[in-house]
Each structure stands twice: as C-alpha cells, then as structure tokens.
Amino acid sequence: MTITATISSLGHKGEGIVEIDGRKIFVPLALPGETVRLDVEGDRGGLVEVLAPSPERIDPFCRHFGACGGCQLQHLSGPAYEAFKIALVETPLLLAGIKASVSRFIPAGGTGRRRATLHARREGAGYMRLKSHQVHDLDACPILDPALSRAPAIARAIGTALGEADVSFTATLSGLDVAIRTARKQARPEKLVPLATRFGLARLALNGEMVLQAQAPLVEMGRARVELPIGSFLQATAAAEEALAAYVLAAVEPARSVADLFCGVGPFALRLAEKRPVFAADSDRNAVAALDRARRFAKGLKPITAKARDLFRDPLTRFELDYDAVVLDPPRAGAEAQTRELALSGVKTIVMIACDASSFARDAAILTAAGYGLSDLVAFDQFVQSTHVEIAATFKSPSN
C-alpha cells in the first residue's frame, strides 16, 4: 500500500514514525515534520519520496548512505543530531524514574573508528543493507580511521579464499589486527597466509586461533603498551578512549584506592595506577592477562592487582568493596548484580561507563534508590552517525 503521510517523530533507532489508524509505522531515512510518500507493509514503511523535506535534512557525506545499514543519521543536521543523541540518554532514565540532564555532549569520533566488522558474502564485503540480511558491497567507508581504508578489499579477498565470513579489524600501532569468524567447517587457514603477507597484516586469526603474527598488535594506554588478545574489546575510537579516561581520572580524584570492574585490557586501570593502587577484575581471562603483562613492563605505575572474575555471577560483595572509588565499564547487558552490591557497600564514588542506555538506566535506578546522587552525566559520541551513544556518570554516596 502506497500512502502520503507526515512524519510525527524520530524513534530511538533513527527511524521516522507515522501513526496510521492508531498503529505506528517506522520509516527509515525520514525525519519529523516531513511529508512523504511511502510503501507500507506491516509496521514498516519504505520511503518512496520526500514531498516536503524537514529544515533539519542535510545531504549525506557518503554515497552509500541509504543502502548501507552502517549509518542511520547522516541526513540529520548537527543540532538535531546532538539533540537526538542526548535524548537517547535522558529518555530511558526518565522512564526509570530519574530526572537527569546531560551536562556535556562530547564529539569523540576522532579520526574515525579503529575497529570494524565487515561481512564477506557472495555479493561482496561490507555492512548489512538497511533492514536486510544482504550485504552492501563497499569500496570505502568514511567513518573508519584511515588505517582501515583497505578493510573492504581485505574482507573481499578473505571471502574469496574462505567463503562466507565475518571479518573484524582493529588498527593498532603495529598494523592491522584481523580476526575472522566463519561457520565453514572446511575452512583452510593455510589459504590465508598469502593474504596476510600481501596486505602486510600485523596478525591474522581464524575462529579464535592464530594463523600468522608478523608483529604483536599493540595499543598505548597511558604510560603502558598493551598487546591485544585475539578478539579483545577496545573502544571504537582512540579519541573516545582518551576522553572517557579523562572523565574517569577527574571523577575519582582524590581517591587513594580504586577498583576497576569490567576492566578489559586496562584502558582505565593502567591510567588510574599512575597515582594510586588499583584492583582490576574482568571475566575475560585473556584480557586480564594482557593487562597484567602491560603493568609489568610499564614504568612508574602503582601496584595493579588484576584478577579474572565473572562479575555477573560472582560480583564483588559489599564486604569486599573496601575502596574509595569504583569504576564500572560493563558490556551492553550492564552490571545489575554488581550494582546491587555497590548500592549496599557505602563506596563514596562510583563512576559508571555504559554503551547501552536502557541497562544504564536500570543500574542507575538501583544506585539512586539506595541514596546515591547522580551527577555529571555526559554523552560521548564515538559511534558517529549511528543510533548508539556512550555514557558516563558519577554517583556519590549519601554520606558524601
């Protein structure tokens, strides 16, 4: 069914919303206030034509926008884009009963994303098409760091050698770190060695196993250099890691002891240890081992005690949380079990970093219900042109 309608609002996934006969229709690439012609199927609307564009509509900077699903917001002007991202943070908090305003919106795209996963399929290599399971073949991606400029070509070459695969790239000081995932049982790693040499890769791994390492993939974190484990987590941009670390360091002053929970490879712990002892824990044993190695070779750091511990199933209890400050940077699921223990601990300062606004709001509500005050709520825009946002907030105990 083809209809003409006016878009009423923008949903949290960046899609225009129009109400027809009391039901919501979601229209990718449409903006609030626009009169559009669209094809409707179920609760989805395919944009056919913009009859009256919004004053907030701008020309996208990438010719793949609208077909490639990697970006959702390139057509939205700067002020409206910022307001949309801020609402992504504030709205879930309000729904959780917390009225809080973002104090700062920090652009953190830097030189582009240093991490990306491209899909190699029969139709090419790139991100999935908008609302599709088909891949949009890319020749270039302007939201990536220049060090990843050859990523589409490398992913295509890997697809030719192995068949269908997901190819993750990380730009490091030593070159590109490439990790391949494929369901093909007959995948032959020896086919990949010439590709690693041809593209000058620092490291190449297949299904979690090393195929070739020309150089250890290294990243700098404060005074330390960390050798990344295969498939380890890293903030999407170097600029975001620096900005988040600066926030954390300022928020915990003048704490004399700090616990860094969900520490990963140590982007916060290694910087925090420049001034005070740090306890660091994460369920990822390889990440904890990498942090510990980096700590041993870095100069001028206070002691770091790094432990592998599943903080979802075995959180630090209120009796173990004998620290002046605690930093949490959990994955998308949040840190509910650990937050419940923190709420009973009396820790003076809790700094929470989050990549999912809903789980953040849930965990923040646990702390505020225990009397903790939320302050300095900041949005970091490292996932530029997408509907994701990084969040940082400080919680102070009632006794402060």
Side-chain angles (χ1 to χ4, degrees):
M1 176 175 64
T2 301
I3 65 168
T4 298
T6 299
I7 303 298
S8 61
S9 59
L10 198 61
H12 70 280
K13 292 185 179 180
E15 300 169 324
I17 298 175
V18 60
E19 291 200 16
I20 301 173
D21 298 329
R23 62 191 179 101
K24 291 183 177 180
I25 307 297
F26 299 89
V27 188
L29 309 178
L31 296 177
E34 292 186 330
T35 301
V36 299
R37 196 153 56 90
L38 54 124
D39 289 330
V40 177
E41 185 174 342
D43 66 350
R44 310 298 305 170
L47 185 64
V48 176
E49 183 182 3
V50 178
L51 302 174
S54 163
E56 303 297 345
R57 179 175 285 276
I58 60 174
D59 292 331
F61 55 80
C62 177
R63 67 183 184 84
H64 296 284
F65 181 72
C68 171
C71 293
Q72 296 83 46
L73 300 171
Q74 286 187 25
H75 59 318
L76 188 60
S77 70
Y81 173 89
E82 182 174 326
F84 173 80
K85 289 275 179 126
I86 288 173
L88 288 179
V89 178
E90 294 178 349
T91 302
L93 284 170
L94 195 60
L95 292 173
I98 302 171
K99 189 174 182 180
S101 299
V102 169
S103 60
R104 286 170 287 157
F105 179 83
I106 299 179
T111 58
R113 296 189 198 178
R114 59 181 174 179
R115 296 175 56 239
T117 297
L118 301 184
H119 309 289
R121 299 291 188 268
R122 195 174 301 173
E123 59 268 28
Y127 305 109
M128 293 299 181
R129 288 181 175 273
L130 194 66
K131 298 301 175 184
S132 169
H133 295 294
Q134 297 294 311
V135 165
H136 179 78
D137 191 39
L138 288 177
D139 56 347
C141 177
I143 66 169
L144 298 182
D145 187 282
L148 295 183
S149 61
R150 295 185 299 166
I154 296 170
R156 263 189 297 275
I158 289 170
T160 300
L162 290 185
E164 290 192 358
D166 295 328
V167 188
S168 296
F169 297 87
T170 303
T172 76
L173 296 172
S174 321
L176 290 186
D177 182 22
V178 179
I180 305 165
R181 286 284 173 186
T182 179
R184 293 175 64 91
K185 294 181 180 179
Q186 304 303 319
R188 295 168 57 189
E190 63 270 18
K191 287 187 174 184
L192 299 170
V193 174
L195 294 179
T197 304
R198 171 183 159 195
F199 289 107
L201 305 181
R203 182 173 65 189
L204 181 63
L206 175 63
N207 290 336
E209 299 293 331
M210 182 121 54
V211 173
L212 179 146
Q213 179 168 294
Q215 299 183 72
L218 300 172
V219 292
E220 280 187 347
M221 293 181 174
R223 297 175 187 172
R225 284 195 169 190
V226 180
E227 181 178 340
L228 294 177
I230 294 170
S232 63
F233 173 79
L234 199 63
Q235 292 293 347
T237 72
E241 183 184 295
E242 291 287 347
L244 288 164
Y247 177 98
V248 167
L249 293 174
V252 302
E253 285 291 345
R256 291 175 294 178
S257 62
V258 178
D260 180 10
L261 307 182
F262 304 94
C263 63
V265 295
F268 303 137
L270 289 165
R271 291 174 169 94
L272 288 164
E274 293 177 14
K275 287 191 175 182
R276 79 276 290 166
V278 177
F279 172 83
D282 197 289
S283 61
D284 187 336
R285 293 182 178 276
N286 292 330
V288 171
L291 164 58
D292 196 49
R293 283 195 300 273
R295 181 268 309 169
R296 283 188 272 116
F297 288 102
K299 294 181 179 179
L301 297 186
K302 303 294 184 183
I304 299 176
T305 303
K307 299 289 185 183
R309 181 162 172 171
D310 186 342
L311 298 172
F312 293 106
R313 298 179 181 178
D314 184 24
L316 267 70
T317 69
R318 67 205 76 172
F319 308 108
E320 297 174 278
L321 289 164
D322 186 22
Y323 302 97
D324 295 328
V326 171
V327 178
L328 299 99
D329 184 12
R332 192 164 295 279
E336 183 175 3
Q338 186 59 75
T339 304
R340 291 194 182 281
E341 289 296 327
L342 279 164
L344 299 170
S345 69
V347 170
K348 293 179 180 179
T349 302
I350 299 169
V351 182
M352 192 178 294
I353 309 298
C355 60
D356 182 86
S358 295
S359 61
F360 168 74
R362 178 201 65 209
D363 295 345
I366 293 169
L367 294 176
T368 56
Y372 278 83
L374 188 161
S375 64
D376 202 15
L377 179 64
V378 179
F380 294 83
D381 188 28
Q382 68 166 322
F383 302 101
V384 295
Q385 309 305 329
S386 80
T387 56
H388 298 292
V389 63
E390 199 80 13
I391 305 164
T394 301
F395 298 84
K396 295 289 188 178
S397 74
S399 60
N400 271 9

